[in-house]
Amino acid sequence: MISNKEYFKFYVNHEQRNLRHKVDWNLAEEYSKAGLNLKSRMADRFYRLCKEEKPIILPDEKICFVRTVSNLPDVITEQEKDELGIWDCINNLALDYYGAIDKGLIEMRKTADEYAKRDIDSIIMLSDKYLEEAKRLGRNDIVEVLTQVPRYPARNFREALQFFRILHYAIWLEGYMHNTVGRFDLNLWKYLKKDLEEGTHTKESALELLEDFFLSFNKDSDLYRGIQQGDNGQSMMLGGIDKDGNDVFNLLSELCLEASYNNGLIDPKINLRVNKNTPIERFELATKLTKRGLGFPQYSNDDIVIPALQKLGYDYEDAANYTVAACWEFIIPGNAVDIVNIDGLSYPKCIDIALHSSLKSSANYDKFFNAVKKEIFNEAERICTTWKSGYKLPCPLVNLLMPGADYLKAKYNNYGIHGCGISTGADSLAAIKKYVFEEKRITPDELIDAIDNNFEGYSELLHLLRYEAPKMGNNDDFVDSIAVLLLDTFAESLKGRKNECGGIFRAGTGSAMYYVWMADELGASPDGRRKGEPLGANFSVSLFAKTKGPVSVIASMTKPHFENVINGGPLTLEFHHSVFADDDGISKVAALVRTFILKGGHQLQLNMVNTEKLYDAQKHPENYKNLVVRVWGWSGYFVELDKCYQDHVIARQTYTI
Amino acid sequence: MTGTIFDIKEMAVHDGPGIRTTVFFKGCPLRCRWCHNPEGLSGEPQLMFKSARCKGCGACFIPCSHEDCKPFGRCLHVCPQNALEIAGKRVNATELAKELIKCAEFLGDGFGGFTFSGGEPTSQIEFLLSLAKELKGYHLCIETCGYTDKKNWQKILDTFDFIIMDIKLADDEQHKKFTGVSNKIILENFETLKKSKKPYIIRTPLIPDITDTADNLDAIKSIIADSNWEKIPYNAAAGAKYKMLGMEYKL
């Protein structure tokens, strides 16, 4: 196992951070004065950074390349940013690394544009520095690898892995992050298969190499510039079917699960495509990884996702090739420049507006729901007409790795919108339906006043709404059918709308970080949620819903018509660590996951948690440096999260034995 | 036919084969000092006060007119923290079975069966058997202390597919001291179980210095011979619920 090796400890203890330095180049001013176009600026910065980088090769380390420059100076001035309406390079894409690995950069250069050519030359220059360093250190193994890649096609598994690492490193260095790994086992199996056949690798040596490669995803992840550490998009997809319907899962997929288990690190984040024919043994293998407490694998259901993507207009062979962008948003590798997370719609907010404008005047529940529907349509209209892409900073390497399309004029240019707070929304409407309209226990005035006063002076009403009212997660059609209708309404509100690139808008079931942000802008809600309390993350039951257990939750959460809301966004189930204590527990969790898939669930992530440990980690973070939790679509180190995200993980319902 | 239960739990991992739903019956003839489900001891509904949640607002002491609050002298429908709960509700066997089957049908062939636990399920024998009858066709498992008369025990063996039975202490005096009853009936019932050819497993909770002694474990071993035997580690959090019920944890 590599976890015993010095270089593994070196990176796990973040010692590479001591080798880094910052550059204080004022490139934006310089480029602006020189009147350089944006692509030229990107290629020039990339060249300078490659020149500045120093090669680091640790003893025994096989897969090299680590960043020594920690910052990327801006290429455009603040003024230009405002004028051009630019936020960043586009992100959350599935690039075709694998085509490049098969071809080699020299071959790619022949058809590349001027800027990508410059980038290729820069990569080769940097790679040659590593080659020289390897020679100096007498590392003939690395010399052999770097003499071949990235110039020429990979000839074996090790070269393919090193090539991938170089491309991934380069693309972060160019400033583009959140790039998903894609269908790793589908694309790289041929290399390993050949090595095994020729006897240059055994299963064991391949595993060790894979562990080394997996470690490389953790070398520079602290340089990610996103919202929370850990949300860096390094998601790997395993399994699933190919375009001919064959099961892709192979020995490499299995070794990936094992390498991830052995390393115990948050990256790469493992995803598994499954379907109704997936054997139970594979779910058991995957559940063993869940037991490791890293919050993955995350499951996606081919039976639901592929037809749903087709319904949105994706060609079958593209739909069958889907992967996830960063967290869980479905995306097609190589040809989709979808912005899968351009905004989120808040069901609770739409309900709150309708509550204040229309509850008193609604003669019955259906009339009130129509008012909610109107607000959902208004919100959809607002989102779809105000959001224009700000991802206008070009990235020559992205262009290079999206064959057949300039990345701003790709085959697919769709925008995805999260649907947030589904359980808060459905529970709120169920309470209104039951208590205001059916039983008439609460008058509209009373409810509105209670909400506006955050239930101050309404303790009996709060108790009724919060603890006694029907809640999603109990297999209760009364409330579950409302959730189904809310999701369908959201999908309907986006239907027929076109974005600025001519693409469509996709409705989803995720929340990303909006479960915290949207709760902040909301008052109390009719489900008994107090002001300031967060919504459930992604597609989950409310934080204070009492349920009988995970079976009822799955029964509730598999009722929606996911073919209408397939932007992505998983059901999350948290299990107490004791559930996994023995093989029997593992096979039961695996059987439950399989049930979710058979019942038509779209996406599922499981967390193994130990609440007592999490509380202790808040008090003594120094003792829990490597404690991992699943946050909203990614795994992160608990003690590095902002407190609101820590508290949310603790508050989620944990299923025990 | 009605009975009193205090919980239904889905996917109880340690209660028999497959994904199961477990029903917890209220009432138990034993008083094991280490019992970790004290709300299962009395057969009557009980007020559980979760003091850790209480912020001392006093709202529950203000007299109310709710019918269900009357027996407890506290209002159950007002606590903003939900610190007051009632452990135990009367349920109808037919309706309960309907609810349970809903979950089983959802799971399809992934479903393992139902487990009846407690408390002590045999303490409500008529209700137990009528519920089992309503669930005929499903794999049924019982978790029992075995302290029930021979006639009832035979019915249990005839009804259930899998028996999980506790043998806690081999010595009768010790058994009386720590569980409040003699183990004579229990050991007799074990012999019947052994002869019945019914699949079963014996469980012993490992309570430091009480059951977890070499003498006791050796003695149990000689009674149960080569029966399947699970030793359950002591649950350090076992005492937590006593205070909520206004009871004293004696361990």
Side-chain angles (χ1 to χ4, degrees):
Chain A
M1 259 217 290
I2 64 155
S3 57
N4 303 323
K5 295 197 171 142
E6 288 306 315
Y7 71 87
F8 186 88
K9 290 176 197 157
F10 178 87
Y11 290 118
V12 170
N13 294 326
H14 309 307
E15 286 176 51
Q16 76 277 28
R17 296 181 193 179
N18 303 329
L19 304 172
R20 293 201 183 119
H21 69 283
K22 274 196 164 160
V23 290
D24 56 359
W25 312 330
N26 193 351
L27 299 181
E29 286 294 325
E30 186 188 327
Y31 293 157
S32 183
K33 275 191 195 137
L36 290 187
N37 71 32
L38 294 178
K39 282 186 175 177
S40 189
R41 296 180 191 200
M42 293 296 279
D44 184 72
R45 180 179 69 179
F46 186 68
Y47 167 74
R48 293 195 202 195
L49 287 165
C50 286
K51 223 174 135 191
E52 182 74 13
E53 278 291 345
K54 301 266 176 302
I56 307 282
I57 299 174
L58 299 181
D60 295 334
E61 182 184 38
K62 291 197 176 71
I63 306 295
C64 44
F65 272 68
V66 58
R67 286 272 291 277
T68 61
V69 180
S70 58
N71 64 320
L72 307 179
D74 280 339
V75 294
I76 45 172
T77 62
E78 288 302 316
Q79 197 192 340
E80 287 171 322
K81 234 182 233 181
D82 289 346
E83 280 169 14
L84 300 168
I86 293 180
W87 318 319
D88 203 346
C89 321
I90 191 164
N91 55 35
N92 279 302
L93 298 182
L95 306 180
D96 184 23
Y97 299 97
Y98 306 102
I101 292 171
D102 290 349
K103 278 191 201 143
L105 291 184
I106 298 290
E107 184 63 27
M108 300 279 290
R109 198 179 184 286
K110 291 180 185 161
T111 50
D113 69 13
E114 169 197 344
Y115 308 99
K117 275 187 179 132
R118 285 164 63 184
D119 276 6
I120 288 173
D121 295 344
S122 303
I123 294 173
I124 290 174
M125 171 188 73
L126 175 58
S127 160
D128 283 348
K129 278 198 260 179
Y130 269 88
L131 179 62
E132 288 310 310
E133 176 70 358
K135 282 180 186 163
R136 191 183 70 82
L137 294 168
R139 288 291 304 273
N140 294 336
D141 59 328
I142 294 179
V143 172
E144 194 187 325
V145 170
L146 291 180
T147 306
Q148 181 71 16
V149 297
R151 278 189 174 81
Y152 309 108
R155 294 168 302 185
N156 54 45
F157 189 51
R158 177 164 174 183
E159 286 177 1
L161 296 180
Q162 181 63 67
F163 202 153
F164 187 103
R165 172 62 191 156
I166 292 170
L167 291 172
H168 188 271
Y169 169 101
I171 214 128
W172 274 47
L173 190 65
E174 194 165 58
Y176 166 87
M177 293 190 175
H178 241 113
N179 37 359
T180 181
V181 179
R183 303 189 72 185
F184 183 76
D185 54 353
L186 171 70
N187 289 292
L188 290 194
W189 170 231
K190 61 181 177 195
Y191 292 101
L192 178 58
K193 189 165 174 270
K194 184 171 148 274
D195 286 2
L196 290 168
E197 281 163 6
E198 290 173 358
T200 44
H201 264 304
T202 61
K203 205 176 140 187
E204 290 68 31
S205 67
L207 176 63
E208 196 170 336
L209 191 58
L210 205 50
E211 289 168 0
D212 196 329
F213 174 68
F214 275 23
L215 175 66
S216 73
F217 289 94
N218 299 275
K219 290 177 181 173
D220 303 326
S221 49
D222 60 306
L223 300 177
Y224 174 69
R225 298 163 297 152
I227 292 158
Q228 292 285 301
Q229 273 292 323
D231 176 26
N232 55 36
Q234 302 183 107
S235 295
M236 174 179 281
M237 181 59 86
L238 302 175
I241 57 166
D242 63 17
K243 61 183 189 315
D244 302 319
N246 302 312
D247 187 359
V248 161
F249 197 88
N250 53 47
L251 179 64
L252 177 57
S253 334
E254 239 175 84
L255 291 176
C256 286
L257 295 175
E258 214 173 320
S260 179
Y261 186 96
N262 291 346
N263 280 12
L265 299 171
I266 58 172
D267 285 302
K269 293 153 182 93
I270 304 293
N271 285 265
L272 191 59
R273 279 178 49 172
V274 290
N275 59 50
K276 60 180 184 303
N277 299 320
T278 302
I280 185 71
E281 292 76 20
R282 196 174 306 163
F283 289 104
E284 286 171 356
L285 263 181
T287 306
K288 281 184 190 147
L289 180 55
T290 301
K291 180 185 176 168
R292 189 70 168 86
L294 301 168
F296 45 71
Q298 170 174 261
Y299 300 90
S300 297
N301 187 352
D302 284 2
D303 296 331
I304 301 300
V305 178
I306 294 171
L309 288 173
Q310 282 181 273
K311 207 177 150 188
L312 285 175
Y314 293 85
D315 290 342
Y316 174 75
E317 62 179 49
D318 291 329
N321 198 30
Y322 79 88
T323 183
V324 290
C327 294
W328 22 250
E329 302 91 336
F330 301 113
I331 196 156
I332 317 303
N335 61 18
V337 184
D338 297 337
I339 301 177
V340 290
N341 55 358
I342 200 156
D343 202 353
L345 176 137
S346 163
Y347 297 108
K349 183 181 158 194
C350 295
I351 293 166
D352 189 64
I353 297 171
L355 177 87
H356 286 90
S357 68
S358 312
L359 185 64
K360 286 185 214 170
S361 58
S362 298
N364 54 44
Y365 173 75
D366 290 342
K367 294 237 159 67
F368 178 66
F369 187 81
N370 278 335
V372 173
K373 185 172 173 178
K374 206 180 106 202
E375 293 310 326
I376 291 177
F377 273 69
N378 286 344
E379 183 67 357
E381 171 76 14
R382 186 192 65 76
I383 291 171
C384 298
T385 51
T386 54
W387 278 111
K388 300 271 180 275
S389 171
Y391 293 129
K392 291 171 185 160
L393 202 56
C395 187
L397 281 179
V398 171
N399 285 4
L400 183 73
L401 298 177
M402 291 292 257
D406 185 301
Y407 83 106
L408 290 172
K409 294 175 230 118
K411 185 170 180 186
Y412 305 108
N413 292 283
N414 302 324
Y415 290 175
I417 301 176
H418 304 312
C420 314
I422 183 65
S423 53
T424 305
D427 294 351
S428 293
L429 288 179
I432 291 170
K433 185 177 183 187
K434 184 174 163 79
Y435 300 124
V436 176
F437 291 105
E438 290 183 359
E439 298 179 7
K440 301 194 191 307
R441 274 171 79 169
I442 310 172
T443 66
D445 283 318
E446 232 182 317
L447 182 63
I448 291 167
D449 194 54
I451 300 280
D452 291 347
N453 289 294
N454 196 21
F455 297 109
E456 286 298 323
Y458 286 95
S459 36
E460 202 170 323
L461 183 59
L462 173 68
H463 194 278
L464 177 73
L465 295 173
R466 191 175 170 97
Y467 304 117
E468 300 175 48
K471 301 282 175 204
M472 253 186 116
N474 285 296
N475 196 9
D476 175 357
D477 283 333
F478 185 82
V479 49
D480 295 345
S481 62
I482 293 173
V484 175
L485 198 56
L486 276 176
L487 291 161
D488 285 347
T489 305
F490 176 33
E492 201 189 323
S493 74
L494 296 179
K495 221 171 176 179
R497 294 180 186 274
K498 288 269 188 279
N499 67 26
E500 56 186 322
C501 312
I504 56 158
F505 288 93
R506 317 192 314 189
T509 50
S511 68
M513 59 286 165
Y514 293 112
Y515 64 94
V516 171
W517 292 359
M518 281 176 173
D520 284 347
E521 59 176 35
L522 196 66
S525 46
D527 62 335
R529 189 190 125 276
R530 297 185 191 91
K531 187 175 164 51
E533 287 185 287
L535 309 172
N538 298 325
F539 193 64
S540 56
V541 301
S542 136
L543 288 180
F544 48 83
K546 199 170 176 305
T547 71
K548 284 194 287 289
V551 181
S552 293
V553 170
I554 287 180
S556 274
M557 309 307 266
T558 49
K559 286 175 194 172
H561 312 126
F562 293 111
E563 69 269 24
N564 298 332
V565 279
I566 206 69
N567 191 55
L571 168 65
T572 308
L573 297 175
E574 332 278 339
F575 285 96
H576 193 256
H577 64 105
S578 56
V579 169
F580 301 88
D582 54 28
D583 288 349
D584 194 36
I586 298 229
S587 59
K588 284 174 188 180
V589 173
L592 191 72
V593 172
R594 184 166 172 266
T595 300
F596 176 82
I597 299 302
L598 293 179
K599 294 293 171 181
H602 63 329
Q603 209 169 27
L604 178 70
Q605 61 183 10
L606 304 166
N607 231 344
M608 187 197 74
V609 292
N610 182 340
T611 318
E612 301 81 34
K613 217 185 215 179
L614 298 180
Y615 278 122
D616 199 49
Q618 283 191 323
K619 276 185 230 149
H620 307 288
E622 67 282 5
N623 299 338
Y624 294 94
K625 269 197 332 205
N626 293 319
L627 178 63
V628 174
V629 291
R630 192 80 177 166
V631 187
W632 68 73
W634 46 276
S635 304
Y637 294 106
F638 183 75
V639 298
E640 288 177 13
L641 298 173
D642 289 343
K643 186 147 186 303
C644 61
Y645 296 105
Q646 290 185 348
D647 289 344
H648 196 278
V649 172
I650 291 175
R652 292 176 198 160
Q653 186 161 177
T654 304
Y655 305 108
T656 55
I657 43 175
Chain B
M1 187 73 216
T2 63
T4 306
I5 62 169
F6 67 89
D7 206 358
I8 297 174
K9 209 167 183 183
E10 291 172 352
M11 215 177 132
V13 175
H14 296 314
D15 291 347
I19 300 179
R20 310 184 70 84
T21 302
T22 300
V23 182
F24 293 84
F25 284 57
K26 207 156 155 36
C28 182
L30 272 60
R31 287 294 178 269
C32 307
R33 293 201 191 170
W34 53 83
C35 180
H36 67 280
N37 276 340
E39 72 273 42
L41 296 175
S42 156
E44 295 304 313
Q46 280 168 289
L47 186 70
M48 271 185 106
F49 170 53
K50 302 184 172 170
S51 58
R53 295 184 187 174
C54 177
K55 294 202 170 156
C57 72
C60 59
F61 288 105
I62 299 169
C64 67
S65 54
H66 306 117
E67 203 52 42
D68 55 338
C69 300
K70 274 183 187 161
F72 305 104
R74 303 272 282 276
C75 179
L76 306 171
H77 300 289
V78 72
C79 179
Q81 310 302 325
N82 211 26
L84 290 178
E85 272 173 25
I86 298 302
K89 63 172 181 184
R90 298 289 296 175
V91 288
N92 175 289
T94 315
E95 278 163 28
L96 175 59
K98 219 185 267 172
E99 193 187 324
L100 293 171
I101 288 170
K102 202 169 142 191
C103 170
E105 283 177 344
F106 176 77
L107 282 167
D109 61 6
F111 184 68
F114 298 106
T115 298
F116 301 124
S117 183
E120 171 52 42
T122 61
S123 67
Q124 301 181 58
I125 188 77
E126 296 305 325
F127 173 60
L128 173 68
L129 294 173
S130 95
L131 183 61
K133 204 171 152 194
E134 300 270 0
L135 296 171
K136 210 172 155 80
Y138 289 99
H139 183 274
L140 300 180
C141 171
I142 186 168
E143 284 182 340
T144 174
C145 66
Y147 189 83
T148 189
D149 70 42
K150 275 185 189 162
K151 221 171 73 199
N152 287 341
W153 188 246
Q154 193 52 52
K155 286 181 192 160
I156 297 294
L157 298 187
D158 294 341
T159 306
F160 285 88
D161 302 292
F162 191 78
I163 315 285
I164 300 174
M165 179 184 182
D166 268 20
I167 295 183
K168 306 170 205 284
L169 285 158
D171 179 80
D172 195 31
E173 286 313 307
Q174 291 276 311
H175 203 276
K176 280 182 194 155
K177 184 175 167 194
F178 289 105
T179 75
V181 301
S182 161
N183 66 8
K184 201 164 154 274
I185 307 174
I186 296 171
L187 297 181
E188 283 168 15
N189 283 341
F190 169 69
E191 291 305 321
T192 324
L193 170 63
K194 215 167 126 185
K195 282 177 212 139
S196 72
K197 304 242 163 79
K198 197 57 76 175
Y200 68 92
I201 190 163
I202 299 299
R203 278 185 182 167
T204 303
L206 296 178
I207 313 301
D209 303 327
I210 303 176
T211 64
D212 192 8
T213 65
D215 282 356
N216 183 47
L217 296 177
D218 287 347
I220 291 177
K221 179 72 194 159
S222 66
I223 294 168
I224 66 170
D226 55 359
S227 305
N228 284 326
W229 189 22
E230 266 181 15
K231 285 171 262 188
I232 312 294
Y234 176 60
N235 179 355
K241 285 195 265 184
Y242 283 78
K243 224 179 126 194
M244 298 179 195
L245 293 154
M247 294 162 69
E248 189 193 346
Y249 188 52
K250 291 183 185 136
L251 214 61

